[in-house]
Amino acid sequence: MGTPSVLWNVAKKCFTVGVISLTVSDLFASIVPVRGASMSPTFNPKTNSLLESLSDDRVLVEKLCLSNYKFSHGDVIVFCSPDNHKEKHIKRIVGLPGDWVGTIYDVVHIPEGHCWVEGDNLASSLDSRSFGPVPLGLVKGRVTHILWPPNRVSSVERKTSRNRVSPS
Amino acid sequence: MFENPESKLVGKREKNGRMEQQGYPYSERPLFALCYPQISRHYRCSLKTYGPSMLPTLGITGNVLLMERISTRTGKLRPGDVVFFRSPENPRRVVCKRLVGMEGDQVTYVVDPKNSDKCNTIVVPKGHVWVEGDNIYNTKDSRNFGAVPYGLVEGKAFWTLLPRRDFGSLAPKPK
């Protein structure tokens, strides 16, 4: 009875909620904003520099795939940039380990444990065409649904381009 | 730490002098169970190693090491640290090697110590680190799979728990 025990209870409840939400966001799913136009028209189809942070798409990233790192062609993934571990990118998987992927200049073989990612908007996307195959250990989650804006709430479909990738 | 939840509820009822909310046994055990993944994910945990690639620092039959993640998150890793990282060749495996070069460093290494003395010098690319096993004759490290992106580094090993005779901080790189 008295203010200190009430404060202590409130603090305990806040801590519980904090730990539970951190655990859920680390192990199951979290919601992240998508910046930039490299995945147009799937995410951020219109870039309006005035209202950029308000009109960014918010997507649901699920982390259950990180238990066995099994991905399919066409999955949209979130991964740490190989050049700067503090940045996270969202791109689509085009090639899996063992595949041969055709770029403008040559054909690249994806080594074991790596994947080839490309943005849907090839004109303005910094992806595997610049930094090469990405180790699968850098993947932090898979995008399953768009949650914002409300008029485009939907699940994110797998899109494969068979004419450029030759599977192993 | 693990108190009996029943006695805790009873104590609360008597102290407050009013009925606690029914049907909600506020036990603190699940809370501590949830804290452990957070601590091991963000702070530190213990890992078991095996294999000959880090002889003589770590034994073949395996050591249990304490790994901390604070150094990796704050960017305080230095050449000479023993680090754990996700293998670039198999994301399900966590590998333990010694950090030899940070980004921008110039690293000279023996390409194939069993067959020749040929050396190669490279500059570690931006955002990557160069790792090598202490036992250069029997190790798969950056000489095989190249520089490792910093995002794959999980943590730094700072203390040996087992075997008992090696209990203590890890040895620096043998010359």
Side-chain angles (χ1 to χ4, degrees):
Chain A
M1 194 86 175
T3 321
S5 77
V6 169
L7 278 180
W8 174 243
N9 280 334
V10 169
K12 261 198 308 199
K13 290 198 165 88
C14 286
F15 183 70
T16 312
V17 167
V19 169
I20 290 177
S21 57
L22 261 186
T23 306
V24 164
S25 125
D26 279 348
L27 295 179
F28 298 114
S30 63
I31 302 178
V32 301
V34 179
R35 309 284 316 278
S38 61
M39 285 293 288
S40 293
T42 315
F43 307 135
N44 289 351
K46 302 188 285 276
T47 45
N48 182 353
S49 52
L50 289 175
L51 292 170
E52 230 171 69
S53 54
L54 286 179
S55 63
D56 278 347
D57 285 9
R58 301 278 190 285
V59 294
L60 185 73
V61 177
E62 62 103 355
K63 316 261 166 101
L64 299 171
C65 56
L66 298 181
S67 55
N68 57 4
Y69 286 96
K70 275 204 169 47
F71 298 101
S72 320
H73 290 97
D75 276 345
V76 179
I77 54 162
V78 177
F79 61 96
C80 285
S81 164
D83 295 332
N84 183 356
H85 68 105
K86 296 190 185 126
E87 285 173 5
K88 292 212 178 88
H89 295 314
I90 300 186
K91 300 280 180 282
R92 199 179 286 271
I93 289 185
V94 169
L96 289 173
D99 289 352
W100 291 86
V101 174
T103 59
I104 306 175
Y105 305 110
D106 57 9
V107 181
V108 178
H109 184 247
I110 315 291
E112 253 333 292
H114 290 66
C115 61
W116 187 268
V117 292
E118 280 180 9
D120 286 349
N121 184 7
L122 289 176
S124 83
S125 160
L126 191 64
D127 48 33
S128 284
R129 290 169 302 162
S130 322
F131 44 69
V134 173
L136 281 171
L138 288 177
V139 175
K140 297 296 172 208
R142 173 170 54 196
V143 176
T144 48
H145 292 81
I146 303 178
L147 298 179
W148 181 268
N151 58 331
R152 292 197 301 115
V153 171
S154 63
S155 68
V156 175
E157 302 293 329
R158 289 197 189 126
K159 264 197 295 192
T160 55
S161 58
R162 297 253 54 124
N163 56 343
R164 286 183 51 225
V165 177
S166 151
S168 50
Chain B
M1 193 160 100
F2 298 106
E3 302 152 74
N4 188 348
E6 298 298 283
S7 66
K8 224 178 142 42
L9 271 181
V10 166
K12 268 188 185 159
R13 277 200 194 109
E14 283 171 348
K15 207 162 80 159
N16 291 346
R18 54 187 172 85
M19 291 298 280
E20 287 286 337
Q21 201 173 2
Q22 296 297 330
Y24 176 56
Y26 185 64
S27 159
E28 273 151 19
R29 229 174 284 193
L31 179 61
F32 289 121
L34 275 182
C35 280
Y36 178 70
Q38 293 306 313
I39 293 176
S40 87
R41 201 172 269 276
H42 298 291
Y43 181 47
R44 72 171 163 204
C45 64
S46 64
L47 288 183
K48 185 160 172 23
T49 65
Y50 61 93
S53 63
M54 284 291 286
L55 287 172
T57 314
L58 303 178
I60 284 188
T61 45
N63 294 39
V64 175
L65 303 176
L66 270 185
M67 172 185 89
E68 54 100 356
R69 298 179 198 263
I70 307 281
S71 297
T72 42
R73 277 174 198 257
T74 56
K76 289 208 166 40
L77 288 183
R78 293 286 170 269
D81 290 343
V82 176
V83 295
F84 288 91
F85 58 94
R86 266 191 201 280
S87 164
E89 293 170 339
N90 182 357
R92 280 179 277 243
R93 264 188 35 188
V94 176
V95 178
C96 176
K97 297 279 180 280
R98 199 177 288 270
L99 193 72
V100 167
M102 304 291 293
E103 68 179 7
D105 289 352
Q106 219 174 14
V107 171
T108 307
Y109 61 96
V110 182
V111 177
D112 194 6
K114 279 190 201 167
N115 297 337
S116 73
D117 270 337
K118 187 164 93 99
C119 283
N120 211 358
T121 306
I122 61 131
V123 175
V124 181
K126 182 172 176 308
H128 290 65
V129 293
W130 190 266
V131 291
E132 283 183 15
D134 285 349
N135 180 11
I136 56 171
Y137 298 100
N138 192 354
T139 176
K140 274 189 90 176
D141 52 21
S142 284
R143 280 174 290 194
N144 305 91
F145 44 68
V148 172
Y150 194 90
L152 289 180
V153 176
E154 297 267 321
K156 169 180 143 185
F158 66 102
W159 199 260
T160 308
L161 291 178
L162 293 176
R164 287 299 201 82
R165 64 171 184 275
D166 290 338
F167 188 86
S169 51
L170 287 134
K173 187 179 171 94
K175 289 283 178 255

